[in-house]
Amino acid sequence: MAAGAPESQSRFGHSVKGLLTEKVNACGTDVIALTKQVLKGSRSSELLGQAARNMVLQEDAILHSEDSLRKMAIITTHLQYQSYPEER
């Protein structure tokens, strides 16, 4: 039985090494997945910030266009008054 003990210890050591290797690989895979998720989250934050900046730029353009349309309406009214002076 003394000869069998080192053999069983060797098998036990080998199976522990195998389990340890599996656990290390699983942890490595989890770390990679976590890293990808963090990068994806930071990218989402970047995209959200960019979308907010674009929305502000569009809002400014809309306000400027609205102001220009208001001015053109005033000019149109003045031109209409000038073109028909006899109707007043």
Side-chain angles (χ1 to χ4, degrees), residues 3-75:
E7 186 178 317
S8 66
Q9 285 179 348
S10 174
R11 275 188 266 148
F12 177 73
H14 186 66
S15 66
V16 168
K17 285 180 185 179
L19 288 174
L20 184 59
T21 302
E22 288 177 23
K23 290 291 183 183
V24 168
N25 287 339
C27 285
T29 302
D30 290 345
V31 167
I32 290 170
L34 179 62
T35 302
K36 286 180 181 178
Q37 189 64 34
V38 167
L39 291 174
K40 183 179 176 184
S42 68
R43 180 74 176 136
S44 295
S45 179
E46 273 180 42
L47 292 175
L48 186 60
Q50 186 178 6
R53 284 189 298 275
N54 288 343
M55 191 171 79
V56 168
L57 291 174
Q58 290 299 321
E59 185 179 11
D60 286 344
I62 289 169
L63 291 174
H64 180 71
S65 297
E66 183 181 12
D67 188 45
S68 295
L69 286 172
R70 198 174 298 123
K71 288 176 184 177
M72 285 191 289
I74 292 169
I75 291 170

